[in-house]
Amino acid sequence: MPSVRETAYPRLKSSYSQKELNEIYTPTPEELIWAEQNTRGDVAHLGLLVLLKISQRLGYFVPLTEIPEVIMDHIAQCAGIPLRSSDGWNKYHASGTHKRHRALIRDYLGIRFFDREARQIMVNAMAEVALVKDEPADLVNVAMEKLIQQNVELPAFNTLAEAARHIYARSKSVPMNSWRRSGIFSRLIKPKAVPKNA
């Protein structure tokens, strides 16, 4: 199975220059107004802004407790919001507010949750290039590009990597025209159970 380092799957870095923070993680005036209009209290306000900027950069959501403090601090300063302790973020997640915020952000950015239809897009994209690509990591990259084109939120890396592993192995052992008869597509497209409001 390909590792995340072998692919273009976007990840957070451990450190950022001030130039990177300014260019990537500075909320626009419109975003600041939107966040203020859709939240109550400093924790929710900052949480929504951070999730927004992270999803814009990565194409998926990351728990606030896993985001480098330098990013949190930069966004807090831009919005004039005091930076809270980790306990505040634990309460934010426990309240379920972050799930509502994810839905708000998807609507604001015009992106779709990774659902069954999106999974089929991923599998089809990988299958189309499996016979001409040299590594499973290439399949991951092709699928990500297709999902982004379709305005779909990227799934967890393991979802992409596992599908790539299966499809790549299958392409080397079974003729392409027999894939659908073998049922490989239906098995890969069938998603694991995920909460509707994840």
Side-chain angles (χ1 to χ4, degrees), residues 24-25 29 41 67 73-74 80-82 95 99 103 125 133 140 146 151 153 158 168 189 193 195:
I24 301 170
Y25 294 109
I67 296 172
D73 185 56
H74 174 76
I81 303 171
S95 70
K99 290 186 177 181
K133 293 296 184 179
V140 171
K146 190 69 173 180
N151 296 318
E153 178 184 330
N158 284 346
Y168 183 81
I189 290 170

Side-chain angles (χ1 to χ4, degrees), residues 148-168:
I148 291 170
Q149 289 174 356
Q150 297 292 321
N151 296 318
V152 176
E153 178 184 330
L154 293 179
F157 177 75
N158 284 346
T159 299
L160 289 157
E162 186 66 18
R165 182 179 71 83
H166 279 293
I167 292 176
Y168 183 81

Side-chain angles (χ1 to χ4, degrees), residues 163-183:
R165 182 179 71 83
H166 279 293
I167 292 176
Y168 183 81
R170 196 72 175 180
S171 72
K172 303 309 175 187
S173 61
V174 179
M176 181 67 78
N177 60 11
S178 67
W179 278 29
R180 284 182 171 81
R181 291 198 303 272
S182 71

Side-chain angles (χ1 to χ4, degrees), residues 1-196:
M1 192 161 69
S3 71
V4 66
R5 295 180 182 276
E6 296 174 312
T7 72
Y9 192 79
R11 296 176 294 153
L12 291 171
K13 301 194 303 181
S14 58
S15 62
Y16 291 85
S17 67
Q18 189 59 50
K19 182 174 183 292
E20 288 175 314
L21 292 171
N22 292 339
E23 292 179 353
I24 301 170
Y25 294 109
T26 298
T28 66
E30 293 79 9
E31 290 167 348
L32 290 171
I33 293 171
W34 171 78
E36 187 172 7
Q37 291 174 339
N38 283 281
T39 55
R40 294 180 180 177
D42 289 342
V43 171
H45 190 183
L46 182 56
L48 181 59
L49 279 172
V50 172
L51 287 178
L52 172 66
K53 301 312 293 183
I54 291 295
S55 63
Q56 285 175 328
R57 179 62 174 174
L58 301 182
Y60 61 93
F61 295 102
V62 175
L64 294 181
T65 51
E66 297 179 12
I67 296 172
E69 188 171 340
V70 64
I71 293 177
M72 302 281 287
D73 185 56
H74 174 76
I75 296 175
Q77 288 185 27
C78 290
I81 303 171
L83 189 62
R84 297 290 177 171
S85 65
S86 58
D87 182 58
W89 299 124
N90 290 333
K91 291 179 180 177
Y92 171 77
H93 284 287
S95 70
T97 302
H98 71 291
K99 290 186 177 181
R100 184 177 65 84
H101 284 178
R102 290 184 181 195
L104 280 171
I105 291 168
R106 291 187 187 107
D107 184 63
Y108 183 71
L109 298 180
I111 57 176
R112 295 189 290 126
F113 179 67
F114 185 81
D115 54 12
R116 181 182 173 84
E117 181 182 350
R119 183 178 290 270
Q120 185 165 1
I121 292 172
M122 173 191 72
V123 170
N124 289 345
M126 291 182 178
E128 287 175 5
V129 299
L131 291 181
V132 296
K133 293 296 184 179
D134 294 328
E135 299 292 341
D138 297 326
L139 275 62
V140 171
N141 292 336
V142 168
M144 285 195 301
E145 183 177 356
K146 190 69 173 180
L147 291 170
I148 291 170
Q149 289 174 356
Q150 297 292 321
N151 296 318
V152 176
E153 178 184 330
L154 293 179
F157 177 75
N158 284 346
T159 299
L160 289 157
E162 186 66 18
R165 182 179 71 83
H166 279 293
I167 292 176
Y168 183 81
R170 196 72 175 180
S171 72
K172 303 309 175 187
S173 61
V174 179
M176 181 67 78
N177 60 11
S178 67
W179 278 29
R180 284 182 171 81
R181 291 198 303 272
S182 71
I184 183 69
F185 285 103
S186 62
R187 291 198 300 274
L188 285 170
I189 290 170
K190 185 178 181 181
K192 296 180 180 179
V194 288
K196 285 186 177 180

